Amino acid sequence: MSTDTEPMDLSRDGNDVGTIGDRLARYIFFACAFVTVATTLAIIVVLVDGAIDFFAQVSFLEFFTETNWSPRAADNPSFGVLPLVWGTLMITVGAALIAVPVGTLTAIYLSEYADPRVRKVAKPTLEILAGIPTIVYGFFAVSFITPYLQVLGENVAFMPVPGTFNAVAGAIVVGIMIIPMVSSISEDAMSSVPDSLRNAAYGLGATKFEVSTQVVLPASLSGILAAYVLAISRAIGETMAVTLAAGALPQMTRNPFEEIQTMTAYMVEIGTGDASVGSIGYQSLFAIGLTLFVMTFLMNVFSMWIRSRYREEYQ
Amino acid sequence: MSTQTADETDEFEFDESAVKRKRQLGKVFLGLCFAATMVGVVALIALLYDVVSEAWGWLTWEFLTYPPSQIVEHYNPANYGNLPTGPGGMYPMIIGSIYLITLTAIFTLFLGVGAAIYLEEYAPENLLTRFIEANISNLAGVPSIVYGLLGLAVFVRAMQTGASLIAGALTLTLLILPIVIVQSQESLRAVPDSMRQASYGTGATKWQTIRNVILPEAVPGIMTGIILSLSRAIGETAPILMVGAATTLFAPPSLTDPTGPFGAMPMQIFEWAKLPEENFQHVAAAGIVVLLTLLLLMNAVAIYIRNKYDPRG
């Protein structure tokens, strides 16, 4: 076996020169990996293809500037997507107002304060929240949160009584749903801040509060911001909870206790209806889907960029 | 209590009130952080309490073994005695969900593990590999309803599978594939290089090394990841809704003929939950309890596998 040439370096490449089966394995595995690329291509092709059919009948200008969305009106249908985007934004902003402070403080507690035994219980408990199907959150909003809001509305001055469907209940459940996303990614970022930084601050006489908010928080800021962006992206794409809780009335109201419709909820409405292939309702599905895809895609890329751009390297 | 502050003089002076204030601030902050952590925990307890209390009395053996009905009285156990058509339940949907997850598991196992093996063991460090990996993390962030649209256009329409079990399973496979690949990659990466070297040292080829050494070592981690992803998939409503999961289906789909219509639990729960009649809330809650129980069982299996094979105990 010995030759004069350099010995083969098998550490990573391995001995990939065997039988046909050996060579075949490589191509089969590559094909599996390529399925993911094909999926992305297929998503883009499907959405763009459907959207082209839609925009052949509806102008871009109308779609992105008009404020009335009634695509299936028998006479004079109108295709301004803004009410749906507005509804989505209401849910997203509301959810972020809940999840960002709660998730961040939770992460600080788990990373800086919590007894290991408490953390061992609290962390998996929060992870259960992340594993609950979104349809269950929708049910929870309708059967628990909205009735409570209605009781509150009747008894608290200046608070309107929300209807069966309202944006607030949707925003609250979506907020609860994304708390674990904010807290677990932020906690990972905070835990990876080296103890030497904390000890240096303590050595200067800093209190635990000062260490947490003025040392650990800034040091892990990139991870925390990336978590916010990811969680908000999730809230934009969330479907079942907002369909059940927030309703199906596309309108640009500023009152969060009123019924609204999000982009995803509209897609469900068409998906469960009987929009026939080729109808404008069916095509609008792809135009909305493309808008949603582009929005979440940009946010996901932005989140990855924050992470790589501001990543602190610790030895 | 004196209110003099330390900055009046350059010399260090112990200021008791400032320390006290800081201590109080620290306590308030700790209280705030603890309260925030409790928000999540309390929400979870409220959610589970709400679901179980609504389902109480409506979740019976008959609910698990009979097909659904349009009439809410058929679900109420008090009426079981005088029903000509039999009680209402979610049997076809339970079976439908189990079949859906079985097919998804088979597809995911091959595609996910195959892709992870390529990326960890074969892929050269080049632009294409980096592109594939970036693409996978992007796919993980695509909303599930967009996958539903993909399934509708590609499987249901273009491949003409119709709104079938196979279309649903393929859609769910693509949905969870990014997560499965990343988790499988981590399991493969955890296999020490010395084991690869030892295998090559005995003259084994690359494929033999993967098959006989690397995979057996990584299987527990891979299985844990796949089961957890499947438990996520079983609760997904939006994608199967877009693909066209049926509701009020009276017979379960057939695993031997996956081209027929199918119903699944989350879709049926959605149908019940949006019905205006108040009592359907109880029926939806009973369905949710069944769904969450199945989910919990799958998670328990995953945790069992992880604990049993985790070398760290």
Side-chain angles (χ1 to χ4, degrees):
Chain A
M1 273 292 278
S2 73
T3 54
D4 293 337
T5 52
E6 289 271 303
M8 264 169 96
D9 176 21
L10 297 174
S11 59
R12 194 81 188 108
D13 292 335
N15 184 6
D16 196 15
V17 291
T19 59
I20 295 173
D22 274 87
R23 265 171 276 171
L24 202 61
R26 181 191 197 97
Y27 295 115
I28 289 174
F29 294 139
F30 176 76
C32 294
F34 194 75
V35 167
T36 59
V37 177
T39 305
T40 306
L41 289 177
I43 287 176
I44 293 170
V45 167
V46 161
L47 293 178
V48 169
D49 183 55
I52 284 175
D53 292 338
F54 177 80
F55 286 116
Q57 297 169 64
V58 178
S59 75
F60 266 117
L61 200 67
E62 179 183 357
F63 188 68
F64 286 113
T65 59
E66 290 288 313
T67 56
N68 185 8
W69 179 260
S70 48
R72 291 189 295 171
D75 53 325
N76 197 16
S78 69
F79 301 96
V81 80
L82 290 183
L84 296 179
V85 174
W86 178 256
T88 304
L89 280 181
M90 273 177 105
I91 296 287
T92 308
V93 170
L97 285 178
I98 292 170
V100 163
V102 171
T104 313
L105 290 174
T106 301
I108 294 176
Y109 180 75
L110 291 178
S111 155
E112 303 302 313
Y113 286 96
D115 189 277
R117 278 172 305 174
V118 177
R119 180 164 44 220
K120 228 177 163 179
V121 178
K123 237 189 140 175
T125 309
L126 291 176
E127 275 163 14
I128 296 175
L129 272 181
I132 286 177
T134 63
I135 182 82
V136 181
Y137 281 103
F139 175 83
F140 180 57
V142 172
S143 74
F144 192 88
I145 292 179
T146 297
Y148 265 95
L149 288 175
Q150 284 168 335
V151 171
L152 272 180
E154 280 158 11
N155 294 312
V156 177
F158 304 118
M159 190 185 138
V161 181
T164 315
F165 303 108
N166 61 82
V168 175
I172 291 175
V173 279
V174 174
I176 295 172
M177 191 184 301
I178 61 177
I179 286 173
M181 213 170 173
V182 175
S183 68
S184 86
I185 303 178
S186 301
E187 200 227 321
D188 285 346
M190 289 178 194
S191 305
S192 67
V193 172
D195 271 345
S196 58
L197 257 69
R198 293 187 184 86
N199 292 337
Y202 286 131
L204 291 170
T207 62
K208 186 127 193 164
F209 168 65
E210 289 164 335
V211 171
S212 303
T213 54
Q214 289 167 38
V215 176
V216 176
L217 210 60
S220 50
L221 200 63
S222 67
I224 296 172
L225 288 180
Y228 293 168
V229 178
L230 262 188
I232 288 170
S233 164
R234 167 75 64 85
I236 292 175
E238 209 298 307
T239 307
M240 299 321 294
V242 295
T243 304
L244 274 177
L249 184 67
Q251 58 167 338
M252 295 184 76
T253 173
R254 265 178 289 178
N255 180 358
F257 293 95
E258 280 187 33
E259 181 174 0
I260 53 147
Q261 188 171 40
T262 65
M263 296 190 287
T264 50
Y266 171 74
M267 292 171 77
V268 169
E269 186 192 324
I270 295 292
T272 48
D274 44 5
S276 50
V277 183
S279 70
I280 190 82
Y282 181 79
Q283 287 160 354
S284 71
L285 208 52
F286 295 88
I288 302 279
L290 184 62
T291 313
L292 182 69
F293 176 74
V294 170
M295 282 169 81
T296 51
F297 174 79
L298 291 177
M299 297 210 66
N300 294 336
V301 172
F302 183 51
S303 164
M304 276 193 267
W305 180 78
I306 296 176
R307 248 192 209 197
S308 59
R309 175 72 178 74
Y310 295 105
R311 176 176 294 151
E312 303 264 350
E313 295 288 351
Y314 299 111
Q315 258 79 50
Chain B
M1 182 152 308
S2 77
T3 51
Q4 66 183 59
T5 48
D7 50 288
E8 283 170 3
T9 164
D10 280 349
E11 279 173 52
F12 179 79
E13 202 173 313
F14 188 72
D15 185 344
E16 209 174 324
S17 70
V19 171
K20 209 168 178 183
R21 253 199 325 275
K22 276 190 179 180
R23 282 220 177 107
Q24 275 168 348
L25 192 63
K27 269 187 193 150
V28 169
F29 183 68
L30 173 60
L32 217 61
C33 290
F34 183 75
T37 310
M38 282 302 117
V39 168
V41 175
V42 168
L44 179 67
I45 292 168
L47 186 145
L48 293 178
Y49 168 79
D50 176 50
V51 168
V52 171
S53 66
E54 293 268 354
W56 200 257
W58 291 70
L59 181 59
T60 59
W61 178 249
E62 283 77 5
F63 184 75
L64 300 177
T65 50
Y66 278 87
S69 158
Q70 309 273 23
I71 303 155
V72 76
E73 279 75 28
H74 289 188
Y75 294 97
N76 194 339
N79 300 333
Y80 281 172
N82 41 26
L83 294 175
T85 52
M90 64 172 348
Y91 174 71
M93 284 74 205
I94 297 173
I95 302 299
S97 269
I98 291 173
Y99 285 176
L100 196 61
I101 278 325
T102 308
L103 283 178
T104 307
I106 295 168
F107 299 142
T108 312
L109 195 66
F110 281 103
L111 284 175
V113 178
I117 290 176
Y118 177 77
L119 289 172
E120 278 308 303
E121 306 293 331
Y122 286 96
E125 299 238 345
N126 62 17
L127 207 65
L128 178 66
T129 308
R130 277 208 297 281
F131 172 72
I132 293 178
E133 298 215 325
N135 178 53
I136 287 172
S137 41
N138 246 319
L139 277 179
V142 173
S144 62
I145 193 161
V146 172
Y147 280 97
L149 216 48
L150 174 75
L152 173 67
V154 172
F155 304 127
V156 178
R157 302 266 185 233
M159 293 187 186
Q160 309 226 316
T161 59
S164 61
L165 197 60
I166 190 96
L170 286 171
T171 306
L172 288 180
T173 301
L174 295 184
L175 174 71
I176 61 171
L177 204 53
I179 316 167
V180 170
I181 292 174
V182 170
Q183 282 165 348
S184 302
Q185 272 180 280
E186 271 167 26
S187 306
L188 291 172
R189 215 171 296 151
V191 178
D193 250 358
S194 56
M195 293 184 72
R196 293 184 181 84
Q197 308 278 18
S199 172
Y200 293 140
T202 64
T205 64
K206 181 141 194 154
W207 170 225
Q208 286 168 334
T209 304
I210 291 172
R211 198 180 41 191
N212 300 327
V213 179
I214 301 172
L215 271 184
E217 195 67 16
V219 152
I222 292 174
M223 287 307 291
T224 311
I226 288 184
I227 296 170
L228 287 178
S229 305
L230 288 174
S231 79
R232 155 104 41 108
I234 204 168
E236 281 287 354
T237 319
I240 60 165
L241 179 149
M242 296 305 288
V243 165
T247 51
T248 327
L249 198 70
F250 294 101
S254 149
L255 199 53
T256 49
D257 173 30
T259 55
F262 73 106
M265 285 193 277
M267 181 68 196
Q268 185 65 49
I269 291 166
F270 174 58
E271 276 302 305
W272 283 328
K274 63 179 188 167
L275 288 171
E277 196 165 347
E278 192 119 327
N279 275 339
F280 267 115
Q281 294 298 313
H282 298 296
V283 183
I288 288 174
V289 171
V290 178
L291 177 67
L292 288 182
T293 306
L294 195 63
L295 224 137
L296 209 67
L297 281 176
M298 291 174 74
N299 278 289
V301 170
I303 292 167
Y304 173 77
I305 293 177
R306 182 163 63 195
N307 289 346
K308 184 158 184 197
Y309 293 97
D310 192 346
R312 286 162 295 180

